[in-house]
Amino acid sequence: TIAAPAIAQSQPEIKWRLASSFPKSLDTIYGGAETIAQRVSAATGGKFQIRVFAAGEIVPGLQVLDAVQAGTVEMGHTAMYYYVGKDPTFAFESTIPFGLNTRQHLAWLNQGGGNALIADFLKDYNIVSFSAGQTGAQMGGWYRKEIKTPADLTGLKMRIGGLAGQVLAKLGGVPQQIPGGDIYPALEKGTIDAAEWVGPYDDEKLGFYKVAKYYYYPGWWEGGLNLSAIVNQAQLETLPKEYRAILEAACHEATVTMMSKYDAQNPIALKKLIGSGALLRPFSREILQAAHKAAYALYDELAQTNPKWKKIYEPWKAFRDDQYLWFRVAETTFDNFTFTAGSQRAQ
Amino acid sequence: TIAAPAIAQSQPEIKWRLASSFPKSLDTIYGGAETIAQRVSAATGGKFQIRVFAAGEIVPGLQVLDAVQAGTVEMGHTAMYYYVGKDPTFAFESTIPFGLNTRQHLAWLNQGGGNALIADFLKDYNIVSFSAGQTGAQMGGWYRKEIKTPADLTGLKMRIGGLAGQVLAKLGGVPQQIPGGDIYPALEKGTIDAAEWVGPYDDEKLGFYKVAKYYYYPGWWEGGLNLSAIVNQAQLETLPKEYRAILEAACHEATVTMMSKYDAQNPIALKKLIGSGALLRPFSREILQAAHKAAYALYDELAQTNPKWKKIYEPWKAFRDDQYLWFRVAETTFDNFTFTAGSQRAQ
């Protein structure tokens, strides 16, 4: 029922600038910010406008956090593990190697205490963050030559994000941090031997298969990458509460939309990549075990030297243990039976 | 930046009634409607109010579709497979046995053409539906005695939802459709031999372990149940476009929130249930294979007799095949390695 008369109310016109860490060409991950901007505009009749700027338009892709912290832009869309150079604790919001899968990570953030721990950590940076996008489990990247044992990682120059680079370094590799748009030329020139980005849909666009044909899985460092919509705290406080409520809902929508888009597009792109000559390879159990050991050794070291890391790592680890046990009951048994039964029928 | 002066604009006050298929006591699944109502109110400064009524308050839990179709209430929150008696095609929006897992189902709905196919199907019912809640993969339910082979299903009277009941019937069982709040007394009195609801968090509250101690997994009929926010089409058309935009974003939020809540709470509840004497059992491969065969035989029969079913089933099946192949690459290999490696460390 509609109650007449309508009440006149004034809401301010607000225009924000959002700096994305991603290039427009990567429509899925860049699109997270567009999903937010479009929903916020539609929900406010165009009164709250967020203009999205691609990586490099206002600031480089890896400087989005700094720009939001300084108030150069009101808002950003980024992966927080880009900022592990400031503090490794940033990685928890994105994902850590051999950590949680997509749903487990969302559960930790939204219902397992993760968001509160992260909000507390981000206070020092004058930033409020909202979960806004998910890639799903990623691929293990593109390699010029086969990687069969941990020894093959020695001296390997690889573009790899976040803490995974530190794990690779423990295994003798040489990690490089390069924004998405700059990876291909580095791989083509041979500045690097290997590169990981996200998964088949983006990777096909970026054309890595042309210059490094071995395509490994799984991306053990990213069981589910959470993207973040970050807002300058002082700017967030200027928003009417209705606009903030709309912004929060739009960020959740960006999570669902990006996750579904990657999930729907990745299989199609993977088939194309294989048709174009990409050679699909699983990481050996030996490599996974060595990397797993190195990752948790790193986490334990960090817990001894960095109190901010420790404050999040300990409850995260307890949450993780419960998640692993539970997902092995209903989720994994459903997946492992149906995926095989289904593909046998399809053959 | 805030541009002054503020513009005065009037938006109508709207009050809707929402009938839920669920009792208030099941806070996770019932909470999906509350998430929507709270977000819509906050985003409109209280001008668009959705009042949530639990199952039985206005209409019984399994008559929500009829109430929305008739305009008795503007809106409902339900599982569409409750209405397979009208047409089995309703099941696609919820999930079908041995179908897609949670993420795959969301991908199909949001980015794989599923929502458009369902919208077309629902036109005949004067209903528009939005994806609004997810339970994740469910458990296989509670049984008074062990179920080891397909022969043990003969004559089994079981509360089981949607098409799964028809699959059980093909295997010799006797399916019953009973709303969540009425299952316990039926199981206690022995009116039924077994019952499935969702998973540990709800099942513990409902107390099934007290009257049927064998707890099977996985719920092969629900790899990921999608809940639906359904709106009477004529009523939806009365909404200002801003309110509709807010409603849509709030439904996506309900999906993330419910999924995360189940994922976070299920492991804790499962441990409690085992501590209370529940006996966890996997379905045998023999039972899964028999049920899988019966399910797809049913789907093929429906495709021959029901053109509406066929119109959705064929593109759904093609989408499914791609999803199974893709998830076996990055997702399953990540899960299967980390869940085991992690739990070995935890022991």
Side-chain angles (χ1 to χ4, degrees):
Chain A
T1 58
I2 301 184
I7 291 175
Q9 186 188 348
S10 56
Q11 287 283 22
E13 287 197 358
I14 293 182
K15 289 185 197 299
W16 275 9
R17 299 194 307 168
L18 180 154
S20 169
S21 287
F22 312 106
K24 267 186 192 153
S25 56
L26 298 177
D27 61 291
T28 305
I29 199 162
Y30 174 84
E34 291 282 9
T35 298
I36 296 167
Q38 286 163 14
R39 182 59 80 190
V40 163
S41 176
T44 61
K47 290 203 282 185
F48 181 12
Q49 294 280 349
I50 298 169
R51 186 170 166 198
V52 180
F53 293 86
E57 287 185 359
I58 297 176
V59 289
L62 302 181
Q63 291 174 28
V64 167
L65 178 79
D66 307 74
V68 176
Q69 186 180 356
T72 309
V73 292
E74 291 83 2
M75 191 169 171
H77 190 242
T78 190
M80 295 297 257
Y81 65 17
Y82 288 153
Y83 312 104
V84 293
K86 298 177 192 293
D87 189 321
T89 312
F90 274 105
F92 277 111
E93 186 172 342
S94 301
T95 187
I96 66 174
F98 295 105
L100 301 169
N101 76 10
T102 297
R103 286 209 359 234
Q104 295 169 335
H105 191 56
L106 285 170
W108 178 66
L109 291 171
N110 292 315
Q111 299 287 331
N115 278 338
L117 288 165
I118 286 163
D120 188 54
F121 168 70
L122 290 176
K123 274 181 190 161
D124 292 345
Y125 297 87
N126 194 31
I127 281 193
V128 178
S129 180
F130 303 98
S131 177
Q134 249 291 343
T135 64
Q138 300 193 5
M139 290 292 284
W142 299 85
Y143 299 75
R144 288 168 169 269
K145 50 183 189 174
E146 283 189 270
I147 302 294
K148 293 180 175 174
T149 69
D152 294 330
L153 298 171
T154 306
L156 187 84
K157 282 178 287 179
M158 180 169 181
R159 185 278 174 193
I160 187 165
L163 287 181
Q166 295 181 41
V167 176
L168 182 66
K170 274 185 176 281
L171 297 169
V174 185
Q176 315 277 324
Q177 182 143 281
I178 304 172
D182 301 337
I183 301 172
Y184 185 91
L187 201 57
E188 188 180 31
K189 285 177 205 156
T191 315
I192 54 176
D193 305 309
E196 62 85 39
W197 175 245
V198 172
Y201 182 65
D202 288 346
D203 291 0
E204 194 212 358
K205 288 187 172 194
L206 293 168
F208 300 144
Y209 65 95
K210 295 174 198 161
V211 285
K213 66 182 175 179
Y214 295 102
Y215 197 22
Y216 277 84
Y217 66 91
W220 44 261
W221 46 90
E222 289 173 274
L225 171 62
N226 175 67
L227 285 305
S228 301
I230 57 175
V231 184
N232 179 283
Q233 187 158 6
Q235 288 295 332
L236 188 63
E237 284 161 12
T238 68
L239 282 189
K241 64 183 190 307
E242 292 84 356
Y243 287 10
R244 176 162 175 166
I246 289 167
L247 179 64
E248 289 182 7
C251 288
H252 284 298
E253 177 173 358
T255 294
V256 174
T257 301
M258 190 191 295
M259 181 172 76
S260 289
K261 205 168 171 186
Y262 271 119
D263 288 343
Q265 296 295 334
N266 275 332
I268 299 164
L270 182 62
K271 288 196 286 191
K272 279 194 220 166
L273 284 166
I274 291 169
S276 301
L279 300 171
L280 202 60
R281 295 281 185 276
F283 280 123
S284 64
R285 188 152 186 96
E286 198 185 347
I287 284 181
L288 291 177
Q289 284 169 334
H292 186 274
K293 191 177 166 187
Y296 280 89
L298 174 65
Y299 305 158
D300 290 341
E301 286 162 25
L302 289 170
Q304 288 176 356
T305 55
N306 183 330
K308 291 181 182 179
W309 172 275
K310 187 180 179 184
K311 190 177 173 186
I312 301 184
Y313 181 55
E314 291 190 346
W316 176 91
K317 206 166 45 168
F319 188 87
R320 179 205 66 173
D321 288 343
D322 278 352
Q323 288 293 305
Y324 285 179
L325 287 171
W326 161 238
F327 267 70
R328 286 166 69 189
V329 178
E331 295 288 345
T332 303
T333 57
F334 180 87
D335 286 355
N336 287 343
F337 180 83
T338 56
F339 296 173
T340 312
S343 74
Q344 282 168 349
R345 292 181 58 88
Q347 279 160 8
Chain B
T1 60
I2 301 184
I7 291 173
Q9 187 189 347
S10 55
Q11 286 284 23
E13 287 197 0
I14 294 184
K15 289 185 197 297
W16 275 9
R17 300 195 306 169
L18 181 154
S20 169
S21 287
F22 313 106
K24 266 185 192 152
S25 55
L26 298 177
D27 61 291
T28 304
I29 200 162
Y30 173 84
E34 292 283 9
T35 298
I36 296 168
Q38 285 163 14
R39 182 59 79 189
V40 163
S41 176
T44 61
K47 290 204 281 185
F48 181 12
Q49 292 282 350
I50 298 170
R51 186 172 167 197
V52 180
F53 293 86
E57 287 185 359
I58 298 177
V59 288
L62 301 181
Q63 291 173 27
V64 167
L65 178 80
D66 307 73
V68 176
Q69 186 180 354
T72 309
V73 291
E74 290 85 359
M75 194 170 169
H77 190 242
T78 189
M80 294 299 257
Y81 64 17
Y82 288 153
Y83 313 104
V84 293
K86 299 177 191 293
D87 189 321
T89 312
F90 274 104
F92 277 111
E93 187 173 343
S94 301
T95 187
I96 66 174
F98 296 105
L100 301 169
N101 74 10
T102 297
R103 293 227 334 253
Q104 295 169 335
H105 191 57
L106 284 170
W108 178 66
L109 290 171
N110 292 315
Q111 299 286 330
N115 278 338
L117 289 165
I118 286 163
D120 188 54
F121 167 71
L122 291 176
K123 275 183 191 161
D124 292 346
Y125 297 87
N126 195 31
I127 281 195
V128 177
S129 181
F130 303 97
S131 177
Q134 249 291 341
T135 64
Q138 300 194 4
M139 291 292 285
W142 300 85
Y143 300 74
R144 288 168 170 269
K145 50 183 190 175
E146 284 189 271
I147 302 295
K148 293 180 176 176
T149 69
D152 293 330
L153 298 171
T154 307
L156 187 85
K157 283 179 286 180
M158 180 169 181
R159 185 277 174 193
I160 186 165
L163 287 181
Q166 296 181 41
V167 176
L168 182 68
K170 274 184 176 281
L171 297 170
V174 185
Q176 315 276 325
Q177 183 143 282
I178 304 172
D182 302 337
I183 300 172
Y184 185 90
L187 201 58
E188 188 180 30
K189 285 176 204 157
T191 314
I192 54 176
D193 305 309
E196 63 85 37
W197 174 245
V198 171
Y201 182 65
D202 288 346
D203 292 1
E204 193 212 358
K205 287 188 172 195
L206 293 168
F208 300 144
Y209 65 94
K210 297 174 197 161
V211 285
K213 66 182 174 178
Y214 295 102
Y215 197 23
Y216 276 85
Y217 65 91
W220 44 261
W221 47 90
E222 288 173 275
L225 170 63
N226 175 67
L227 285 305
S228 301
I230 57 175
V231 184
N232 179 284
Q233 186 156 7
Q235 288 295 332
L236 188 63
E237 285 161 12
T238 68
L239 282 189
K241 64 184 188 310
E242 292 84 357
Y243 287 10
R244 175 163 176 165
I246 289 166
L247 179 63
E248 288 182 8
C251 288
H252 285 297
E253 178 174 358
T255 294
V256 175
T257 302
M258 189 190 297
M259 181 171 75
S260 289
K261 205 168 172 187
Y262 271 119
D263 288 342
Q265 296 296 334
N266 275 332
I268 300 163
L270 183 62
K271 287 195 286 190
K272 280 195 219 165
L273 284 165
I274 291 169
S276 301
L279 300 170
L280 201 60
R281 294 282 186 275
F283 280 124
S284 63
R285 189 153 185 94
E286 198 185 347
I287 284 180
L288 291 176
Q289 283 170 333
H292 186 274
K293 190 177 166 187
Y296 279 90
L298 173 66
Y299 305 158
D300 290 341
E301 286 162 25
L302 289 171
Q304 287 176 356
T305 55
N306 183 331
K308 290 181 183 180
W309 173 274
K310 187 180 179 185
K311 191 177 174 187
I312 300 184
Y313 180 56
E314 292 190 346
W316 176 91
K317 205 164 45 167
F319 188 87
R320 179 205 66 173
D321 289 342
D322 278 351
Q323 288 293 304
Y324 284 179
L325 288 170
W326 161 238
F327 268 69
R328 287 168 67 190
V329 178
E331 295 288 345
T332 303
T333 56
F334 180 87
D335 286 355
N336 287 342
F337 180 83
T338 56
F339 295 174
T340 312
S343 73
Q344 282 168 347
R345 291 180 60 87
Q347 277 160 11

